[in-house]
Amino acid sequence: MRIDGIELRVVSLPLVSPFVTSFGSQSERIALLIRVVADGVEGWGECVALPEPVYSSEYVAGAVDVIERFLAPALMADESITAERVGEVLEPFVGHRIAKASLEMALLDAQLRTAHQSFAAYLGVTKELVPSGVSVGIQPTIDELVTAVGDYLDEGYQRIKIKIRPGWDVEPVRALRSEYGAIPLQVDANSAYTLDDVVVFQELDDFELLLIEQPLYEDDIRLHSVLARMISTPICLDESIVSARAAADAIALDAAQIINIKPGRVGGYLEAVRIHDLARSAGIPVWCGGMLETGIARGANAALAGLPGFTLPGDISASARFYREDVTEPFELENGCIRVPAEAGVARLPIPERLDECTVSTRWIPRVS
Ligand code: OSB
Ligand code: MG
């Protein structure tokens, strides 16, 4: 394809309630959307960076900058760029995987629209529904947590994940087990602990959690393998798995018994598939993580989660989990599942008036020659 130009659009969507994690509290989703025009066809992508570098080193304004200065010009210089070659063309630029992923997604969307092919068909996915889990933020009180989780269970969510941090870990889990019994339950620490906290994880071992997500720092792959030998609950890595190479290392070191695959964090859906493939051949279960996606990318995650190695429910909730009004038609829960989109393309298209309402800024990067 020959790219005519790339539009970067920052949007702001209020959240239905603040989302509190060990790295901070968010009450709106400021997101970067990508619209690429190539061979006269439009493709959409979503950049899942947060507005601040608190989950990963990437952030919205940084993604805009690196795309405008380096990534977009490199892609436009290649007159026959394809989504499959985005990774290699952008390889000289170190890091910035979330930004790269958003461009790959937009190009793949344009490509599949031209080919009248759905993302599921492209991936070879035939499942129509994938089980839906929900990520529950840190609540002001245990009672509020118990109520919030009860509401999600009533809605049909098939797995509950709660965010933990020092001081909000064993007691919230104990309360949920005593109120709801043997529900599928897991916790996510977002790197808030060190090996000195091993007693917390040993106490959590009593509660039959599905997994503990990212207890230690992003670059502590070796220390996760040390921790794994001291506890019985499986360790699942999120932040640490930035590429297929990192996944291979974590598996070889027994640092991850389970892997959370986020297409943005690993540089795109194509790298996500490679991680799925290598985890599957190593017998490591995977599930699809979330980054408060808008409707643009939510369905693409559902399609990815239709691959056979995704044997645990993902953080792919209904749009209403985060947004009263999304930029697209919302994704809804159907018997605790999200439907894998059957339409051509990767993205669900935004509703133009809705998009304009929540747009904060737009810039168009034209092709120069
Ligand atoms: O660690 O999985 C995480 C959201 C933003 C950044 C990191 C994480 C999360 C979530 C939300 O847990 C998952 C979702 O989008 O439903
Ligand atoms: Mg996580």
Side-chain angles (χ1 to χ4, degrees):
M1 286 182 294
R2 182 177 190 275
I3 298 176
D4 302 315
I6 300 178
E7 183 183 82
L8 306 183
R9 189 186 279 254
V10 177
V11 297
S12 167
L13 303 176
L15 299 183
V16 290
S17 58
F19 186 59
V20 181
T21 64
S22 63
F23 59 75
S25 174
Q26 296 171 270
S27 54
E28 58 177 347
R29 178 55 162 130
I30 295 175
L32 172 63
L33 305 180
I34 313 290
R35 184 174 65 92
V36 60
V37 182
D39 297 342
V41 177
E42 260 187 25
W44 286 82
E46 177 168 349
C47 176
V48 300
L50 299 179
E52 293 157 348
V54 288
Y55 161 79
S56 83
S57 63
E58 294 187 73
Y59 58 101
V60 171
V64 169
D65 189 81
V66 78
I67 290 172
E68 195 167 21
R69 267 178 221 275
F70 303 106
L71 309 183
L75 292 181
M76 291 200 244
D78 188 319
E79 305 253 330
S80 54
I81 186 70
T82 61
E84 291 78 4
R85 291 193 42 249
V86 167
E88 136 195 7
V89 170
L90 300 183
E91 180 74 35
F93 305 107
V94 176
H96 297 283
R97 293 182 172 92
I98 297 178
K100 292 174 179 176
S102 67
L103 295 168
E104 183 196 84
M105 178 182 172
L107 273 173
L108 188 56
D109 187 52
Q111 232 167 270
L112 296 191
R113 281 179 199 288
T114 308
H116 304 289
Q117 190 179 36
S118 71
F119 187 38
Y122 175 83
L123 293 171
V125 163
T126 53
K127 271 184 209 158
E128 292 177 12
L129 294 165
V130 295
S132 178
V134 62
S135 173
V136 186
I138 294 166
Q139 304 294 311
T141 63
I142 300 244
D143 281 353
E144 282 163 276
L145 174 71
V146 167
T147 305
V149 167
D151 291 345
Y152 289 128
L153 291 171
D154 290 345
E155 286 178 52
Y157 285 106
Q158 298 197 37
R159 181 228 68 196
I160 302 292
K161 149 171 151 185
I162 66 162
K163 294 290 190 177
I164 60 169
R165 68 175 169 213
W168 179 268
D169 39 43
V170 176
E171 292 317 312
V173 168
R174 190 192 309 283
L176 293 177
R177 277 286 180 245
S178 93
E179 190 73 24
Y180 302 116
I183 56 166
L185 181 64
Q186 63 194 51
V187 296
D188 186 0
N190 288 113
S191 304
Y193 296 85
T194 70
L195 256 196
D196 293 342
D197 300 306
V198 63
V199 287
V200 173
F201 301 112
Q202 286 166 340
E203 280 185 67
L204 287 173
D205 274 344
D206 292 341
F207 298 98
E208 308 265 348
L209 298 174
L210 291 169
L211 57 90
I212 296 175
E213 186 176 343
Q214 196 70 39
L216 312 177
Y217 297 138
E218 174 177 326
D219 48 4
D220 274 347
I221 292 197
R222 183 182 59 83
L223 291 186
H224 280 101
S225 78
V226 173
L227 179 60
R229 277 181 260 123
M230 302 169 84
I231 63 177
S232 58
T233 309
I235 290 180
C236 169
L237 293 183
D238 171 353
E239 284 89 330
S240 296
I241 307 300
V242 295
S243 63
R245 280 196 301 276
D249 285 356
I251 292 171
L253 287 167
D254 290 322
Q257 287 71 58
I258 296 173
I259 290 177
N260 164 335
I261 299 183
K262 286 183 185 169
R265 191 193 65 228
V266 304
Y269 285 96
L270 303 180
E271 184 79 349
V273 172
R274 290 188 280 273
I275 295 176
H276 161 272
D277 294 349
L278 75 88
R280 189 162 183 242
S281 58
I284 297 289
V286 303
W287 55 280
C288 183
M291 291 292 288
L292 299 92
E293 279 81 358
T294 72
I296 307 258
R298 195 161 286 273
N301 286 359
L304 179 72
L307 289 172
F310 285 81
T311 52
L312 291 163
D315 282 344
I316 311 172
S317 328
S319 305
R321 152 70 187 90
F322 290 112
Y323 307 113
R324 206 175 311 284
E325 266 194 286
D326 204 332
V327 292
T328 65
E329 292 299 335
F331 284 85
E332 273 152 17
L333 224 49
E334 299 177 40
N335 296 318
C337 292
I338 297 291
R339 185 167 293 279
V340 174
E343 310 88 70
V346 182
R348 179 171 280 189
L349 295 179
I351 302 165
E353 311 77 65
R354 179 60 199 135
L355 185 63
D356 285 341
E357 266 167 29
C358 60
T359 295
V360 176
S361 65
T362 306
R363 77 182 74 183
W364 173 252
I365 310 172
R367 138 165 239 113
V368 258
S369 57

